[in-house]
Amino acid sequence: MQNFYLMHPKRLLILFAFVPFIINAQPLYKYGSFVIKGQVKNYKEPLFDFGMTTYLNGVTNSVKVQANGNFEQQFPIQNRQNLYLYLNDDALSFTIQDKDTLILYWDEADFKNTFTVKGNNETRTKELTGQLAIWYQFRTPFMKLNDTLYRNTNLTTDNKYALINDLFNRHVKAAIDPGYSNSRSSTLLLLQLYFQYAHVLQSQGLIPRYNLKFIKDSTHPNDYLPNYTTQYEDWFWNVPEYKDFMFDYLRFTRPFNAYVPYNNIPEKPFNPTLDEYHLALANLSAPNMRDWFITKSILLGFEHYNFTDVENVYKLAANTLTSPFLKDTLQHFYAAMNRLKPGNPAPGFSLKNDQGKLVSLSDFKGKVVYIDFWGVGCGPCIYDIKNTVPQLHEHYKNKDVVFISICVDATESEWKEALKQYKLDGVNLIAEDWIKNPVCKTYNINAIPHYLLIDKSGKISDNNGPGVNRLDLGSGQNPIDLLLK
């Protein structure tokens, strides 16, 4: 592929040097819209999906395709976000903003050679086609980098850093268009790449010992890279990778001020959401960023931790948040999550089993129900199914326990093939289209594996139940045993 996005190192130096001066005053949650339009040939489906970043959780939406292959729809957007087109069994990535129009064309019979993207003016078309070319060039290397870091446990920290920094350098050199080297869009693109790779550094525990360096020649690294400890609201508004990085950076690295009120108490209660609430108050000086961090932490907490513990933090935040948008978002989310509070009746559902029959949750009243939301593409799910689930099911054989496994990430044929391959017994159901599926929405399933425990009366015992590898089968005192008693 011809690489016409190379940039001279001196221009990169200038671009990095001006990064701190892009702060603009603007409303934080500025709503706008964008349009996806175009034509597709030989497409047999009524729609295609796309994902998009937001300030809290990503969203998934669909574009309806007419019988003649034409499509045109408008969607809401907040400031500048990343868009992922789920086409050709992949996720083509673009950066979009208010008033954008993405004009797409492809022939489903020959996607790779026919897919094109255009914008609503010459500048945007050049930026979008450039993003597509870079996506094709670096999608696989970036995935291989993460796979190598995850699987190769013998790599030293210096080796890991060298791999990350090398790919970062190649990605930056290829991604910046010399015709727009001083434009705001190029500056933001550079920041996206910086925080994308800084996040990899953070995930490998290499921060703060290591930082990314752009090598302008063999001996002189560029000293004008951004500082990842910097809190700039402009980055927060317009660089999705910065938000992702900052959320994990503060939670896991605790770089600024790790104080929480009970740090010196020997038996500190386990409440990560409360820890993160106090970390935000102590470390984030920008009110909008602080409110965002607290809100996102509470949303995450309701998905993973004890309901009552997170609920207590929610009550604190209700008196702390100053952003009307985030306050309203949190109130609506809590109202939905309150249905899953332990002690409440478990919301009913009916799903198709592997024999094609509808199975309802109410069918199992009078038994303890352990639900596992899983996926055929989920590594931890498959590991448990192969190594732990058989012993669990055998241990409770002929007891009043029902194990329901709900697959969320596969087509019916893929799911049935996985059931055969892994010999998964119990009650097997499928909730297709995951994020859009009503059952997944009701039970707030945004990540897998996810487990729920329901008691014999049909009430929720734990909406974030223990995973199969955390159930001590020999103790007689794990949550399933206690519910049986």
Side-chain angles (χ1 to χ4, degrees):
M1 180 185 298
Q2 182 182 3
N3 191 348
F4 50 92
Y5 300 99
L6 285 175
M7 185 178 192
H8 193 279
K10 288 184 178 179
R11 291 191 178 184
L12 273 173
L13 200 65
I14 293 172
L15 184 57
F16 274 116
F18 279 92
V19 161
F21 301 103
I22 63 172
I23 302 175
N24 295 328
Q26 58 176 299
L28 177 55
Y29 299 102
K30 182 180 178 182
Y31 282 95
S33 64
F34 69 99
V35 172
I36 297 179
K37 63 182 292 186
Q39 185 184 50
V40 54
K41 292 184 176 181
N42 298 310
Y43 196 70
K44 298 179 181 179
E45 302 296 329
L47 48 82
F48 62 88
D49 295 336
F50 68 87
M52 189 173 69
T53 57
T54 69
Y55 286 100
L56 293 169
N57 294 318
V59 297
T60 302
N61 218 322
S62 300
V63 180
K64 296 178 182 177
V65 180
Q66 300 174 23
N68 61 3
N70 293 336
F71 52 87
E72 182 171 353
Q73 272 183 258
Q74 186 179 65
F75 300 94
I77 190 174
Q78 293 171 302
N79 295 330
R80 187 173 182 270
Q81 302 291 349
N82 289 337
L83 178 81
Y84 306 96
L85 291 172
Y86 300 137
L87 299 172
N88 198 38
D89 295 325
D90 218 323
L92 281 68
S93 177
F94 301 94
T95 301
I96 56 169
Q97 55 203 9
D98 182 28
K99 297 182 175 62
D100 256 344
T101 297
L102 270 66
I103 306 169
L104 311 177
Y105 171 82
W106 77 94
D107 185 337
E108 189 69 7
D110 187 15
F111 184 90
K112 184 70 180 290
N113 293 315
T114 60
F115 182 83
T116 61
V117 57
K118 295 181 180 179
N120 46 7
N121 57 58
E122 184 179 348
T123 299
R124 281 299 285 148
T125 294
K126 190 168 186 178
E127 290 172 350
L128 291 168
T129 55
Q131 289 178 18
L132 179 62
I134 295 305
W135 181 88
Y136 277 128
Q137 186 176 348
F138 285 92
R139 164 79 160 170
T140 299
F142 187 74
M143 292 176 66
K144 286 184 177 178
L145 169 67
N146 283 280
D147 188 64
T148 299
L149 294 171
Y150 175 75
R151 294 180 182 277
N152 195 336
T153 57
N154 296 323
L155 287 174
T156 66
T157 54
D158 285 345
N159 292 150
K160 291 180 179 180
Y161 171 71
L163 290 171
I164 297 167
N165 199 65
D166 175 67
L167 189 59
F168 167 71
N169 273 254
R170 289 191 282 133
H171 205 153
V172 168
K173 289 176 183 178
I176 305 299
D177 185 337
Y180 300 95
S181 59
N182 293 317
S183 71
R184 175 172 170 79
S185 61
S186 288
T187 302
L188 292 172
L189 175 59
L190 179 61
L191 286 166
Q192 285 184 260
L193 291 177
Y194 174 80
F195 286 108
Q196 176 183 342
Y197 285 88
H199 205 169
V200 179
L201 283 181
Q202 184 274 325
S203 70
Q204 294 296 315
L206 301 179
I207 285 177
R209 179 180 172 186
Y210 296 89
N211 193 7
L212 298 169
K213 293 181 179 179
F214 177 74
I215 311 300
K216 69 177 182 178
D217 59 41
S218 60
T219 57
H220 297 88
N222 173 25
D223 293 327
Y224 292 93
L225 286 170
N227 185 338
Y228 51 71
T229 64
T230 303
Q231 298 178 36
Y232 280 118
E233 283 207 21
D234 188 74
W235 297 358
F236 171 70
W237 296 330
N238 294 290
V239 182
E241 289 79 0
Y242 175 68
K243 294 192 292 292
D244 291 342
F245 169 80
M246 188 58 74
F247 188 66
D248 285 347
Y249 179 51
L250 183 56
R251 293 165 68 221
F252 300 128
T253 309
R254 304 195 171 200
F256 309 120
N257 179 355
Y259 170 79
V260 293
Y262 44 79
N263 260 353
N264 296 320
I265 298 177
E267 296 185 6
K268 184 177 80 170
F270 178 78
N271 190 343
T273 309
L274 184 61
D275 281 3
E276 291 162 12
Y277 172 80
H278 288 294
L279 280 170
L281 294 180
N283 296 297
L284 294 174
S285 56
N288 286 315
M289 289 183 64
R290 183 178 63 240
D291 284 1
W292 159 79
F293 184 94
I294 290 172
T295 302
K296 189 172 175 68
S297 177
I298 291 173
L299 299 185
L300 189 68
F302 274 123
E303 294 177 4
H304 294 282
Y305 304 125
N306 177 272
F307 189 99
T308 302
D309 289 345
V310 181
E311 184 180 42
N312 289 335
V313 183
Y314 164 79
K315 292 175 181 178
L316 287 174
N319 298 316
T320 303
L321 301 183
T322 59
S323 163
F325 168 78
L326 290 173
K327 206 165 188 176
D328 184 63
T329 298
L330 196 55
Q331 287 174 349
H332 280 84
F333 182 83
Y334 173 72
M337 285 300 300
N338 203 42
R339 298 195 300 261
L340 303 178
K341 186 174 183 177
N344 287 346
F349 62 80
S350 295
L351 291 170
K352 189 164 58 175
N353 69 7
D354 50 332
Q355 304 300 316
K357 297 180 181 179
L358 281 180
V359 175
S360 299
L361 179 62
S362 58
D363 296 340
F364 306 107
K365 198 166 185 179
K367 297 180 181 292
V368 174
V369 178
Y370 181 85
I371 302 179
D372 173 8
F373 287 89
W374 70 287
V376 301
C378 166
C381 302
I382 300 304
Y383 180 87
D384 283 343
I385 288 172
K386 292 167 65 176
N387 296 283
T388 313
V389 168
Q391 295 91 322
L392 175 68
H393 289 193
E394 180 64 27
H395 182 79
Y396 290 102
K397 188 177 179 180
N398 300 323
K399 295 186 179 180
D400 287 337
V401 183
V402 175
F403 294 99
I404 301 178
S405 299
I406 302 178
C407 180
V408 302
D409 73 340
T411 63
E412 186 173 343
S413 59
E414 292 170 335
W415 166 58
K416 288 183 176 180
E417 183 62 33
L419 293 181
K420 291 179 183 178
Q421 180 179 354
Y422 302 120
K423 298 179 174 61
L424 181 59
D425 59 7
V427 179
N428 285 296
L429 309 177
I430 184 169
E432 294 183 87
D433 294 329
W434 192 346
I435 303 300
K436 297 179 183 179
N437 190 282
V439 177
C440 296
K441 284 184 175 181
T442 299
Y443 280 89
N444 194 44
I445 307 302
N446 295 312
I448 51 176
H450 187 95
Y451 306 92
L452 283 103
L453 264 174
I454 299 172
D455 67 19
K456 291 184 177 182
S457 67
K459 294 180 179 179
I460 293 175
S461 173
D462 193 342
N463 66 307
N464 290 309
V468 292
N469 58 354
R470 290 171 48 206
L471 291 169
D472 185 354
L473 301 182
S475 69
Q477 296 295 314
N478 71 50
I480 294 178
D481 294 327
L482 297 178
L483 289 177
L484 285 173
K485 293 178 181 178

